Amino acid sequence: MRALCAALLALCLSAAALALEPQGDTRAHDPTLLLQGQRWFVFTTGPGLQRLASDDAGRSWRRLAPVFSQAPAWWSEAVPGHQGLDAWAPKLFEHAGRSWALYSISTFGKNRSAIGLASAAAPDAADWRDEGLVVQSAPGDDFNAIDPDLMRDADGRLWLSYGSFWGGIRLTELDAATLRPTGETRFIARRRAGIEAPTLVRRGDWVYLFVSHDLCCRGVQSTYNIRVGRARDVTGPFVDRDGLPMLEGGGTLVEAGGPRWKGPGHQDVVGDVIVRHAYDAEDGGRPHLRVSRLAWSADGWPALAQEE
């Protein structure tokens, strides 16, 4: 009996650990996650690039000063219609002993856009510096240079994926020294009804491509949902669980909206942790940070480890 009780208690504690309910300042849109032991960092869309920090592995969050206090000079040339300090959809990562953030600037619904880069000694440092333009798009291009993601593959090569609507999700290798594109750029996923926010993750012999389908940014009317496909190689071809290519609109559902949390999407995946935003029907449809664990099926497909 004692052994049974202990086993049940362990099971309950394990289940409780699967779902995190973030507390504190959790207002966020398009989150990206960096883990440093118990210290977790989330950068998000917002004026100057917003920053959140947690000292207890994602349970409670506080807001730090934004990355930028003034706009880098190249912003106005790359995207003349861009206003103020608004910066979108960052990707936070570590490389060569520094913290880096890819991010995008644009105007809503347009594809005159640009992906920029900034770096600092640490994610919570006060002295982030502009590292310039990485990729840009303009009217007439069949892609939109926003929503960057970076993946370091098992062989050490760095891969940039990005894209929103237009022709879909694009992939290019980055030079490890310059963090600029090198070699071929290709599309790896398309969908006429809307696709954006790629996240590439290697797990064993598979590379997984998480994306967001449908529409964000409409509060409780948002229809965002998270999908996934996989490939043996980072360059594809990516297919969903039913074998439908992601270049033909495929994608296996990971999460859709529920009674309270509407339009979950613009995810980032680090190990078995997934972050994303969702619109809170109990808070006027405002976007908040959501944090969960992923569970993996026997045949290697991810799902949320526990309903929230």
Side-chain angles (χ1 to χ4, degrees):
M1 176 63 74
R2 183 175 298 173
L4 177 60
C5 289
L8 289 173
L9 176 60
L11 180 62
C12 290
L13 290 174
S14 176
L18 294 177
L20 300 175
E21 190 65 38
Q23 304 296 318
D25 191 341
T26 61
R27 286 285 298 275
H29 205 275
D30 310 328
T32 179
L33 177 66
L34 179 67
L35 308 183
Q36 293 183 339
Q38 293 290 302
R39 302 186 73 214
W40 292 17
F41 297 93
V42 161
F43 283 23
T44 80
T45 288
L49 278 185
Q50 296 290 295
R51 297 188 289 170
L52 306 178
S54 169
D55 296 321
D56 56 5
R59 289 165 178 79
S60 58
W61 295 87
R62 67 186 188 279
R63 192 169 300 269
L64 307 177
V67 168
F68 295 112
S69 59
Q70 60 183 23
W74 63 267
W75 284 14
S76 60
E77 181 178 349
V79 186
H82 179 267
Q83 299 293 319
L85 283 173
D86 199 28
W88 297 355
K91 172 61 181 182
L92 180 60
F93 62 100
E94 294 177 310
H95 176 67
R98 291 180 66 80
S99 296
W100 301 79
L102 290 156
Y103 63 91
S104 41
I105 57 171
S106 189
T107 54
F108 196 82
K110 308 292 185 182
N111 78 323
R112 183 176 291 280
S113 308
I115 293 171
L117 185 66
S119 77
D124 54 352
D127 58 343
W128 279 77
R129 72 188 185 203
D130 170 39
E131 299 283 359
L133 174 69
V134 177
V135 178
Q136 64 186 124
S137 56
D141 288 333
D142 62 347
F143 66 97
N144 193 10
I146 66 171
D147 294 3
D149 179 73
L150 181 132
M151 187 192 85
R152 179 179 286 104
D153 209 349
D155 58 5
R157 295 168 72 182
L158 302 177
W159 296 92
L160 171 70
S161 57
Y162 60 93
S164 173
F165 287 73
W166 273 263
I169 305 302
R170 284 162 62 93
L171 177 79
T172 187
E173 187 174 0
L174 294 185
D175 181 275
T178 65
L179 295 181
R180 296 305 190 271
T182 180
E184 180 184 359
T185 300
R186 70 191 74 199
F187 285 102
I188 55 174
R190 304 178 188 271
R191 184 170 179 267
R192 288 182 179 274
I195 185 172
E196 55 191 10
T199 305
L200 284 168
V201 178
R202 176 171 287 281
R203 181 181 170 88
D205 293 332
W206 294 100
V207 177
Y208 292 83
L209 173 60
F210 294 81
V211 295
S212 295
H213 280 187
D214 299 330
L215 302 176
C216 79
C217 313
R218 288 161 172 77
V220 295
Q221 303 303 316
S222 299
T223 57
Y224 240 16
N225 58 96
I226 300 171
R227 303 274 172 163
V228 70
R230 69 184 186 183
R232 291 292 187 182
D233 187 81
V234 67
T235 60
F238 290 90
V239 300
D240 66 18
R241 197 169 192 170
D242 295 326
L244 181 62
M246 294 187 78
L247 279 169
E248 298 176 14
T252 298
L253 182 66
V254 176
E255 184 183 19
R260 178 179 177 183
W261 296 104
K262 309 294 186 180
H266 206 108
Q267 68 297 314
D268 194 14
V269 176
V270 179
D272 289 334
V273 179
I274 182 170
V275 297
R276 67 279 190 210
H277 71 251
Y279 303 91
D280 189 354
E282 297 181 8
D283 186 29
R286 295 178 178 86
H288 284 269
L289 175 67
R290 309 294 295 147
V291 183
S292 296
R293 299 282 180 178
L294 289 174
W296 299 81
S297 66
D299 59 348
W301 287 96
L304 296 186
Q306 181 172 303
E307 290 293 327
E308 299 180 69

